[in-house]
Amino acid sequence: MVTGDACSDVRSAKADDADYVRTAFDHCLGRYYDGDHINHANRIIESWSRDGRDTRGLLSVRQKTFVLMVGSRRCGVLNLAIKKQGTCKISPLIVFAEDGRPCPAGSGAALLAVAEREALRTGAHQLYCTVAEKNTDAMDFFRRNGFVASGQAQDQYRRGSTEMVLRRVLRRPSEEPIISVGDQVTDDEWPAVRRFLMEHQNPRVPDSGEDWLDALRAGGYVCRASDRTGRLLAVAVASPKKGGAVKVMPVAAIDQDGFRALVVDLPSLLEKRGHKAFLHLNPDPSQVLSLQAARWELEALLPEAYCVSETAQQWGHSLVLDGEATVRNLRIRREYFELIRSGRKTLEIRVGYDNIKRITPGTDIRLMCDEESLLCRVRDVRRHDSFEKLLADEDIERALPGMAPDEALTRLRRIYPRTKEDLGVYVLELEPRATTG
């Protein structure tokens, strides 16, 4: 349904939609792509008579086409290519009114909701699309709705144009562990951290030993992710390099949630220590997903850089923008992510880690949950000495909707032990950035 319009729905395409689909393809795709868009539409239309089977798409199981109706007028078309490899391609999603009048707000979101529903119904683990970089409205729309840029291709569909590959992972972890990430390792803790690095370092450097790691620690920063029991999940060593960059290597991880937490938090931990962070790694597919979602960018392939049988990858992340800190990433649990996205939760509670203390009114932060993100503007920051003081002074319904104060205190203490509360309690007043589409 399109928000605010009781007479709108998305239905499967029918034979009498054919002319509209041809017109929409030709009018909208021709702005950004070369080729015969009428023929593209005809190929999809032909598949309707074969229950969506595409005889020319060798990796496609079938095509599914939907039309958005607002009253009696057509306002959008969505085509999905269901792939044999368990993915689903949006090809394309178009908001276009056949009568030339404006489409209602939420038209794109209504079509995208159908795309996700159909992809999940077919068992797909990933929804993806390609978008011309110059099509900024579409780029913004997909990014706002949880799509992550996976890469780009020059001259793919039009010479002189860059095509962006965007994807959204559909599977979600069943549990959300509480993971802490920090850059403080005491002398007493270092032997255990060093042993963890020795056993799990990535990339593995031949003949590297304790002396090498001791030297890295002496000249750099050790960042680690651990669970509530203090068990190490992921560790990275960051070393300042000439020119103001910070090199992150080695990286060690035994847990995907710990690795994700580490790469999300690293830019905030390192933001005052250089203008750019880069890491060297031989990532597995799940680690690539986490790097892309946290806005790290693949910069180089380094065959035999550390081991003759491996190709290391260099991933980079800017730490400054126009002389100021970039947008900060903050990890958040699914429950709270959805409440903020819906507008029901406008206050986020944190304890006084250094990266939280540096957040000021007007800062943009990116809330990260699994592979999704939500960009928010910080309207105000308020500090309290304890959770009890916070609950007495703040509107708890704006922070933890539906919870009584005693229940909220129990929830906060389960997330943050007393030692963390002693750092000070901060309330961030958030406003999701305006969205349309």
Side-chain angles (χ1 to χ4, degrees):
M1 301 291 288
V2 176
T3 303
D5 194 324
C7 298
S8 305
D9 74 314
V10 180
R11 59 164 174 77
S12 296
K14 302 183 295 185
D16 61 2
D17 295 318
D19 287 342
Y20 165 73
V21 170
R22 293 187 186 99
T23 301
F25 275 43
D26 192 46
H27 178 82
C28 298
L29 299 182
R31 303 176 189 175
Y32 303 103
Y33 305 110
D34 294 333
D36 188 341
H37 305 299
I38 297 294
N39 186 55
H40 179 189
N42 285 336
R43 173 181 165 186
I44 290 169
I45 293 165
E46 288 169 8
S47 74
W48 300 352
S49 63
R50 299 188 295 270
D51 191 29
R53 285 180 291 120
D54 183 356
T55 57
R56 287 180 283 176
L58 299 181
L59 291 178
S60 295
V61 176
R62 61 174 33 87
Q63 305 271 344
K64 290 188 174 183
T65 310
F66 301 87
V67 172
L68 170 66
M69 300 296 299
V70 178
S72 61
R73 65 189 185 118
R74 301 173 180 88
C75 282
V77 58
L78 165 72
N79 187 71
L80 300 174
I82 312 300
K83 302 290 187 175
K84 294 178 180 179
Q85 61 267 36
T87 61
C88 179
K89 183 179 183 181
I90 297 173
S91 180
L93 184 157
I94 295 173
V95 175
F96 173 75
E98 62 181 338
D99 59 3
R101 290 190 291 145
C103 296
S107 296
L111 290 166
L112 185 58
V114 171
E116 181 173 359
R117 182 195 72 199
E118 291 298 317
L120 288 169
R121 180 178 294 174
T122 63
H125 64 267
Q126 185 176 120
L127 191 61
Y128 75 100
C129 61
T130 67
V131 177
E133 187 178 37
K134 294 178 181 178
N135 189 354
T136 55
D137 287 344
M139 288 291 299
D140 290 346
F141 168 75
F142 283 110
R143 281 191 178 275
R144 287 197 309 269
N145 285 280
F147 282 72
V148 173
S150 298
Q152 61 185 42
Q154 187 69 25
D155 301 331
Q156 182 82 359
Y157 297 117
R158 172 175 285 178
R159 296 192 67 177
S161 178
T162 299
E163 190 74 2
M164 303 298 296
V165 181
L166 302 168
R167 57 149 187 84
R168 179 175 171 182
V169 176
L170 297 177
R171 62 177 182 270
R172 294 173 178 166
S174 58
E175 298 181 3
E176 295 183 81
I178 297 173
I179 297 174
S180 297
V181 178
D183 59 354
Q184 302 296 322
V185 175
T186 67
D187 289 342
D188 290 340
E189 294 169 330
W190 173 241
V193 174
R194 181 177 59 195
R195 184 166 56 253
F196 185 92
L197 285 165
M198 288 290 295
E199 293 175 357
H200 306 291
Q201 63 178 274
N202 181 0
R204 187 164 297 279
V205 182
D207 301 323
S208 60
E210 294 183 355
D211 291 346
W212 175 62
L213 294 175
D214 289 340
L216 286 175
R217 183 202 179 202
Y221 322 100
V222 180
C223 304
R224 62 175 178 175
S226 54
D227 63 16
R228 279 186 63 86
T229 69
R231 182 174 69 100
L232 288 173
L233 304 176
V235 177
V237 182
S239 304
K241 310 299 286 186
K242 64 181 180 181
V246 181
K247 181 178 181 179
V248 182
M249 198 205 82
V251 178
I254 61 170
D255 178 271
Q256 176 55 24
D257 291 317
F259 178 86
R260 181 188 298 115
L262 184 67
V263 298
V264 167
D265 286 12
L266 268 173
S268 295
L269 294 174
L270 300 175
E271 69 173 88
K272 295 297 184 181
R273 293 165 174 163
H275 68 272
K276 171 193 174 178
F278 68 97
L279 59 80
H280 286 179
L281 188 70
N282 298 320
D284 62 33
S286 62
Q287 291 173 338
V288 170
L289 291 175
S290 295
L291 287 163
Q292 290 177 339
R295 303 299 178 96
W296 291 78
E297 294 186 357
L298 178 63
E299 296 182 329
L301 299 177
L302 308 171
E304 301 185 354
Y306 298 98
C307 181
V308 295
S309 61
E310 295 178 348
T311 297
Q313 299 178 13
Q314 177 170 309
W315 292 74
H317 197 297
S318 177
L319 303 179
V320 295
L321 181 64
D322 297 329
E324 300 294 334
T326 60
V327 175
R328 290 182 176 88
N329 295 332
L330 286 184
R331 289 176 291 118
I332 190 168
R333 297 172 72 81
R334 170 63 59 181
E335 173 187 2
Y336 306 135
F337 182 87
E338 297 297 349
L339 286 170
I340 292 173
R341 180 152 63 181
S342 71
R344 292 183 58 202
K345 174 178 164 66
T346 58
L347 301 181
E348 173 64 8
I349 301 171
R350 297 282 166 149
V351 297
Y353 296 124
D354 286 344
N355 64 316
I356 300 298
K357 292 178 181 179
R358 291 194 291 266
I359 295 176
T360 57
T363 300
D364 283 341
I365 63 174
R366 184 176 292 110
L367 300 177
M368 304 289 301
C369 179
D370 303 334
E371 313 301 335
E372 292 188 71
S373 65
L374 178 65
L375 188 63
C376 294
R377 174 66 50 84
V378 178
R379 290 301 181 190
D380 196 15
V381 181
R382 298 183 286 276
R383 186 189 185 280
H384 301 274
D385 293 331
S386 66
F387 289 135
E388 287 96 338
K389 183 66 172 171
L390 177 147
L391 294 172
D393 294 346
E394 300 284 353
D395 181 355
I396 191 61
E397 184 63 23
R398 294 177 62 197
L400 295 167
M403 285 193 188
D406 57 342
E407 184 184 3
L409 182 60
T410 299
R411 173 72 65 91
L412 291 168
R413 289 264 166 77
R414 189 165 67 242
I415 297 173
Y416 296 113
R418 290 277 187 172
T419 54
K420 303 298 184 184
E421 185 179 351
D422 290 342
L423 298 173
V425 179
Y426 287 75
V427 174
L428 310 179
E429 186 170 344
L430 303 179
E431 179 185 25
R433 298 296 295 271
T435 61
T436 59

